[in-house]
Amino acid sequence: GAVVSQHPSWVICKSGTSVKIECRSLDFQATTMFWYRQFPKQSLMLMATSNEGSKATYEQGVEKDKFLINHASLTLSTLTVTSAHPEDSSFYICSARSGLREQYFGPGTRLTVT
Amino acid sequence: QQQVKQSPQSLIVQKGGIPIINCAYENTAFDYFPWYQQFPGKGPALLIAIRPDVSEKKEGRFTISFNKSAKQFSLHIMDSQPGDSATYFCAAANYNQGGKLIFGQGTELSVKP
């Protein structure tokens, strides 16, 4: 149990376009979802925390107008990178949690902006 | 005070060896200390976790040792195998304040056959 999926697993987009990444909890209801960004050979950096039905809480330095997060249901959260630029190229990972239990991570989405 | 410091950055051991990865924290409010394993191009997977009321926890070949007074915890991998070659991250969280995970810098482990 406790499976989290992400779609797509990789995406290439042109500079200036927007891209949406989906995160789904497949076998549990996720009251909280987290979005992380990971650059090569680096640790995971938390971007934002979202609770179902409420606005996301962004970490310091993360532009909320650039990284739009929607947690519309207990099994789905989306991250939209708006007006993407090459410096937004990274590995984006979501995690999901039910109540105060363990966080389960998705497989990640590799974003390349050309 | 929110940082978790992890060492070493990389580690090479022979098959059957016991790699040890160490983490240190400052925030005494942390009450949950997990370890994650990450393979290239994949998301992290929870290996084992410990709460501060326990000094040691074993799950299979993985052991966490926890020293509350020193504010340190470590991961030991018994009888390491080439398949254990991955990046390992420690983390800490305060579940009374939402349980946001603070990750260490990561350790790239290579187990040679």
Side-chain angles (χ1 to χ4, degrees):
Chain A
V3 179
V4 176
S5 70
Q6 281 184 241
H7 178 81
S9 55
W10 59 270
V11 58
I12 301 172
C13 70
K14 290 184 183 287
S15 186
T17 62
S18 296
V19 61
K20 181 184 285 188
I21 302 170
E22 291 186 349
C23 176
R24 293 181 185 273
S25 57
L26 299 185
D27 52 2
F28 67 101
Q29 293 188 323
T31 50
T32 306
M33 286 185 168
F34 302 85
W35 286 95
Y36 297 84
R37 182 165 53 181
Q38 185 179 36
F39 292 107
K41 301 286 188 182
Q42 292 190 22
S43 188
L44 286 79
M45 296 301 297
L46 180 65
M47 299 174 67
T49 302
S50 73
N51 293 297
E52 186 264 340
S54 60
K55 288 186 178 180
T57 302
Y58 290 80
E59 294 298 302
Q60 193 171 9
V62 177
E63 300 174 60
K64 62 180 180 181
D65 294 330
K66 181 170 185 60
F67 299 99
L68 301 178
I69 291 171
N70 184 284
H71 190 166
S73 78
L74 283 171
T75 59
L76 173 65
S77 176
T78 59
L79 167 68
T80 301
V81 183
T82 62
S83 186
H85 288 97
E87 57 265 31
D88 299 323
S89 299
S90 189
F91 193 50
Y92 291 87
I93 309 171
C94 72
S95 70
R97 188 179 73 193
S98 175
L100 288 180
R101 296 179 181 173
E102 315 289 349
Q103 275 189 45
Y104 296 95
F105 285 82
T109 297
R110 173 76 57 195
L111 170 64
T112 301
V113 184
T114 61
Chain B
Q1 203 184 19
Q2 285 290 86
Q3 281 187 327
V4 176
K5 295 184 179 178
Q6 183 173 346
S7 63
Q9 188 175 348
S10 63
L11 188 54
I12 300 174
V13 300
Q14 292 295 125
K15 178 183 173 182
I18 305 176
I20 301 173
I21 305 170
N22 301 295
C23 285
Y25 63 97
E26 288 295 322
N27 188 349
T28 55
F30 286 144
D31 55 10
Y32 175 66
F33 303 88
W35 284 91
Y36 292 88
Q37 179 188 57
Q38 186 180 30
F39 293 104
K42 305 293 184 184
L46 178 65
L47 269 180
I48 185 173
I50 198 168
R51 304 267 178 191
D53 53 347
V54 178
S55 61
E56 185 177 276
K57 183 175 181 180
K58 290 183 182 180
E59 284 188 7
R61 295 185 294 108
F62 301 97
T63 299
I64 297 180
S65 297
F66 186 82
N67 186 329
K68 188 174 181 178
S69 60
K71 292 184 283 187
Q72 296 175 349
F73 59 109
S74 60
L75 176 70
H76 300 228
I77 305 176
M78 306 301 177
D79 188 27
S80 59
Q81 302 296 313
D84 296 328
S85 297
T87 300
Y88 293 80
F89 292 96
C90 64
N94 178 350
Y95 267 75
N96 288 327
Q97 293 186 358
K100 186 169 71 174
L101 287 171
I102 308 298
F103 281 89
Q105 295 81 0
T107 296
E108 192 171 355
L109 172 67
S110 177
V111 181
K112 300 297 185 186

